[in-house]
Each structure stands twice: as C-alpha cells, then as structure tokens.
C-alpha cells in the first residue's frame, strides 16, 4: 500500500513539474510571437501597430536583457512617425533599462527628439 501511495505521489509531482514547465514554455512562445508580429508589421510599414506590439513585448518581459534595445526601437518608430512625445518616453525607457554600446546613439536621439 505504501509503495502504491509513493508511486502516485511521484506521478503527481512529476505531472505538476511538467505542467509548470509547459506554461513557461508557452509564455515564452507567446512573447516571441508578439515580437515576431511586431517585426513583420514594421517591415510592412505598419509602424503604429508595430510600436504597440513591441511595447506589449516590453511589458511582458520587464526584466529581459533586451528591454532597453526594444524600447530604443519603439522610440525610433515613434520618431519616424513624428510623435515626439511618445518617442521621448521610449528613449527614456531605453536609457533607464540600458542599451550598452548604443548609449552614444541614444543620447543623440534624445537630444534630437527634445529639439523637436
């Protein structure tokens, strides 16, 4: 009886572990698909919807190492659209998140946006 109880317990724990990992995997797939759709929209020239999808990706990945680079991309899209207030917001998001080697370019974009 104890053997059966132990086997059932092991099966339940294994099922929970597998189920928990599949949820994380589907969450990553979901955020990857958001990013992929955003890239396709941008390539097609649908800049406003692309910016919204990238922003959604950033919200779903607040601690992702690429957050700053993605925010910089959103800022550039809004700059291209002439929406300087939105661009400024996303350039500041990028600055706070960090963009590594892109920092000098980000600083130029901030100045340019503020001048507009």
């Amino acid at each position: 009886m104890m053997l059966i109880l132990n086997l059932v317990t092991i099966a339940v724990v294994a099922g929970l572990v597998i189920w928990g990992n599949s949820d994380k995997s589907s969450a990553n797939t979901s955020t990857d698909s958001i990013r992929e759709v955003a890239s396709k929209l941008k390539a097609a020239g649908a800049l406003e919807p692309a910016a919204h999808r990238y922003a959604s990706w950033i919200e779903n990945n607040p601690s992702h190492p690429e957050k700053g680079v993605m925010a910089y991309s959103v800022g550039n899209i809004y700059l291209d659209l002439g929406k300087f207030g939105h661009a400024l917001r996303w350039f500041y998001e990028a600055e706070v998140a960090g963009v590594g080697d892109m920092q000098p370019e980000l600083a130029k974009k901030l100045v340019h946006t503020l001048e507009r």
Side-chain angles (χ1 to χ4, degrees), residues 74-104:
V74 175
N76 280 318
I77 291 171
Y78 280 120
L79 189 60
D80 291 344
L81 290 168
K83 296 188 174 193
F84 303 113
H86 292 306
L88 189 61
R89 180 259 168 122
W90 286 104
F91 287 146
Y92 283 145
E93 292 273 353
E95 184 178 54
V96 170
V99 291
D101 295 341
M102 296 172 55
Q103 186 60 41

Side-chain angles (χ1 to χ4, degrees), residues 35 38-39 42 46-55 57-58 66-81 83 86-95 97-99 102 105-106 109 113:
R35 190 172 177 180
S39 294
K42 185 178 177 187
L47 298 181
E48 186 90 30
H52 289 293
R53 297 308 296 159
Y54 279 127
W57 184 90
I58 292 166
E66 291 183 38
K67 177 183 176 182
V69 174
M70 296 300 292
Y72 178 76
S73 294
V74 175
N76 280 318
I77 291 171
Y78 280 120
L79 189 60
D80 291 344
L81 290 168
K83 296 188 174 193
H86 292 306
L88 189 61
R89 180 259 168 122
W90 286 104
F91 287 146
Y92 283 145
E93 292 273 353
E95 184 178 54
V99 291
M102 296 172 55
E105 186 63 28
L106 174 60
K109 294 282 183 159
T113 305

Side-chain angles (χ1 to χ4, degrees), residues 7-59:
L7 288 174
V8 169
T9 303
I10 290 171
V12 169
V13 169
L16 289 173
V17 167
I18 291 169
W19 183 53
N21 287 340
S22 71
D23 283 349
K24 290 176 186 174
S25 174
S26 71
N28 287 341
T29 302
S30 174
T31 58
D32 289 345
S33 69
I34 290 170
R35 190 172 177 180
E36 185 177 341
V37 168
S39 294
K40 289 181 178 193
L41 287 167
K42 185 178 177 187
L47 298 181
E48 186 90 30
H52 289 293
R53 297 308 296 159
Y54 279 127
S56 177
W57 184 90
I58 292 166
E59 290 170 6

